């Protein structure tokens, strides 16, 4: 039997939970099982039936209000009026593909490229982060002449054939590509190294050498700069630079997967990699770009992209369509006009501080770490040994659900709560979250 996927199965509804459901919820789960493919998963032992959202809040079919502490699809907040207006206005005029001239894609590209390092000067568009990372791998291979891709041991980069082959978080049922190599994550809490950056760079070099020993030419290193699937690993700032230098010395490129840390999420910079003083060769993004409208992108150095684009025409029917670009432009405008990067930095720092205060009361909290509104809350059986407590983490998210707080878990042991609310999250919401965590841990005997 395949090992369960950490990203899909750790926090999920299963058939044995059905007996505890009310009649309406059970009916929906049974209908879902009947009409949808069996690969789908629901969150929670008692699934949540959501019907409405606004800002950082969600409402279920019974009218109960929830605090969303997980969702970066609606990155600037559920049902943001600016996005609704932009999409509605454009939909009333035109929606078509990118083989006709249209201002939206050009205006947005100029605005988005202005947020990136000057070396990044070309943009391409798709619908999902998986598609963006798929194209990035193809470009990396074209530029380098190699095929080998390095990712971290719990990475998730997508669901296409290429990206699933470089996404170990999908579990052993999904085989990794023969040209994929894994490195241990740069976990400042668990790795005992005087210089985490040097340690991580050595891990990268070791896998490049292993590729060479097996006749595989190195193409690139693909990483989410906050290592969210590995358990949210943001610190220390700057540790990634030595690894990127090793990648370049070996003829590969660095692909920064910014689906999770990008678009002002970390507070310190617009892009997550900005915290590490590095310039990627390719930036990929997806979910937070359109606030719920499917749109993704790839930004690149022109010299990296040229080897691919000179040889292969690329076309994505829905990628970069006028409606998607209107949504993306509205999101970018809101981030800049409402100063959400600074908001994320300030509110995230206050949330982090108050979460850390819980450590004085609850010995099961091993570490609390984060950047902006992206925080990892790690649970252990005891602090000295740092033994992960997955059972407690899973019980805790179920308890939080009863307090109407929605989040999930991450990391190789499934013991890290990934606290990643929409950027609409406010100081006034901190008490709800921290209070729910305190009450839930107390109720669980911790």
């Amino acid at each position: 039997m395949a090992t369960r996927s950490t990203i899909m199965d750790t926090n999920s509804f299963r058939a044995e939970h059905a007996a505890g459901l009310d009649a309406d919820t059970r009916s929906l789960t049974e209908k879902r099982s009947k009409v949808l493919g069996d690969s789908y998963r629901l969150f929670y032992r008692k699934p949540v039936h959501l019907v409405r959202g606004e800002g950082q809040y969600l409402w279920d079919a019974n009218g109960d209000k929830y605090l969303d502490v997980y969702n970066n699809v609606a990155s600037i907040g559920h049902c943001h009026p600016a996005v609704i207006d932009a999409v509605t206005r454009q939909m009333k005029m035109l929606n078509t593909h990118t083989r006709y001239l249209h201002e939206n894609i050009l205006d947005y590209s100029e605005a988005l490229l202005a947020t990136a390092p000057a070396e990044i000067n070309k943009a391409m568009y798709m619908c999902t982060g998986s598609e963006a990372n798929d194209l990035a791998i193809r470009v990396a291979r074209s530029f380098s002449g190699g095929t080998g891709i390095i990712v971290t041991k719990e990475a998730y980069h997508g669901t296409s054939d290429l990206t699933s082959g470089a996404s170990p978080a999908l579990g052993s049922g999904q085989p990794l590509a023969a040209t994929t190599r894994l490195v241990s994550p740069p976990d400042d809490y668990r790795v005992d190294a005087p210089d985490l950056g040097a340690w991580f760079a050595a891990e990268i070099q070791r896998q490049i050498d292993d590729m060479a020993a097996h006749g595989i030419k190195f193409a690139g290193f693909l990483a989410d700069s906050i290592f969210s699937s590995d358990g949210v690993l943001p610190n220390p700032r700057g540790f990634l630079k030595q690894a990127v230098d090793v990648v370049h010395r070996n003829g590969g490129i660095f692909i920064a997967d910014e689906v999770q840390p990008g678009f002002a999420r970390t507070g310190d910079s617009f892009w997550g990699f900005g915290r590490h003083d590095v310039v990627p060769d390719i930036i990929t993004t997806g979910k937070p770009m359109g606030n719920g409208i499917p749109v993704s992108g790839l930004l690149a150095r022109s010299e990296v992209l040229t080897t691919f684009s000179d040889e292969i025409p690329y076309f994505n029917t829905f990628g970069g369509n006028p409606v998607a670009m209107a949504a993306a432009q509205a999101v970018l405008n809101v981030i800049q006009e409402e100063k959400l990067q600074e908001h994320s930095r300030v509110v995230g720092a206050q949330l982090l501080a108050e979460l850390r205060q819980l450590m004085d009361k609850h010995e099961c909290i091993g570490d609390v770490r984060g950047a902006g509104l992206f925080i990892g809350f790690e649970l252990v059986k005891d602090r000295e040994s740092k033994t992960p407590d997955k059972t407690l983490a899973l019980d805790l998210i179920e308890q939080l659900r009863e307090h109407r707080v929605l989040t999930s878990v991450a990391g190789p042991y499934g013991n890290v709560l990934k606290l990643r609310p929409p950027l609409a999250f406010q100081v006034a919401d901190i008490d709800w979250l921290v209070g729910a965590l305190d009450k839930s841990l107390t109720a669980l005997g911790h």
Side-chain angles (χ1 to χ4, degrees), residues 357-363 365 383 438-439 442 446:
Q357 288 182 16
L358 288 177
M359 296 178 74
D360 295 335
K361 184 175 180 181
H362 301 284
E363 285 290 323
I365 305 170
R383 288 183 184 171
D438 187 15
K439 291 172 187 173
T442 299
H446 291 269

Side-chain angles (χ1 to χ4, degrees), residues 116-319:
E119 296 91 335
I120 305 290
N121 56 4
K122 295 285 185 182
M124 297 179 74
Y125 298 98
M126 309 84 207
C127 303
T128 67
S130 296
E131 289 176 291
N133 283 328
D134 187 285
L135 180 59
I137 292 172
R138 293 173 66 190
V139 171
R141 289 174 170 175
S142 177
F143 177 76
S144 66
T147 57
I149 300 294
I150 294 175
V151 297
T152 50
K153 286 184 177 179
E154 207 59 37
Y156 170 70
H157 295 294
T159 57
S160 71
D161 185 51
L162 281 181
T163 57
S164 61
S167 294
L170 291 174
S172 60
Q174 167 60 57
L176 295 176
T179 51
T180 296
R181 291 294 183 274
L182 306 182
V183 290
S184 297
D187 188 341
D188 191 41
Y189 177 59
R190 294 182 179 278
V191 172
D192 183 16
D195 184 335
L196 187 67
W199 175 88
F200 192 52
E203 289 284 298
I204 298 283
Q205 186 64 61
R206 189 174 299 113
Q207 293 306 318
I208 294 173
D209 294 342
D210 180 74
M211 285 180 181
H214 289 84
I216 299 169
K217 186 174 181 182
F218 175 54
F221 171 49
L222 171 57
D224 150 13
S225 58
I226 204 163
F227 300 91
S228 50
S229 296
D230 290 287
V232 188
L233 309 173
N235 298 314
R237 289 182 60 164
F239 77 78
L240 198 53
K241 189 175 188 309
Q242 292 179 68
V244 174
D245 289 344
V246 165
V247 168
H248 287 152
R249 281 200 302 270
N250 284 271
I253 69 169
F254 171 47
I255 304 165
D257 180 343
E258 290 287 316
V259 171
Q260 300 205 52
F263 285 81
R265 168 63 57 184
T266 67
D268 293 321
S269 62
F270 186 88
W271 299 104
F273 63 78
R275 304 180 66 251
H276 293 285
D277 192 27
V278 297
V279 178
D281 301 288
I282 295 176
I283 302 168
T284 59
T285 187
K287 287 189 281 280
M289 282 180 76
N291 212 60
I293 296 296
V295 57
S296 65
L298 178 151
L299 308 181
R301 300 175 187 253
S302 57
E303 64 271 22
V304 170
L305 198 56
T306 296
T307 55
F308 176 86
S309 55
D310 280 358
E311 297 294 328
I312 303 174
Y314 182 83
F315 177 60
N316 185 308
T317 300
F318 294 108

Side-chain angles (χ1 to χ4, degrees), residues 13 17-18 20-33 42-50 60-62 66 401:
F13 169 76
H17 301 140
L21 302 181
D22 62 80
D24 288 343
T25 303
R26 185 167 185 172
S27 175
L28 282 174
T29 62
E30 288 172 350
K31 185 173 183 179
R32 181 181 168 103
S33 178
L42 283 163
F43 277 139
Y44 298 107
R45 298 165 194 162
K46 181 182 175 184
V48 186
H49 179 193
L50 298 174
D60 68 15
N62 295 322
Y66 293 76
R401 182 215 182 287

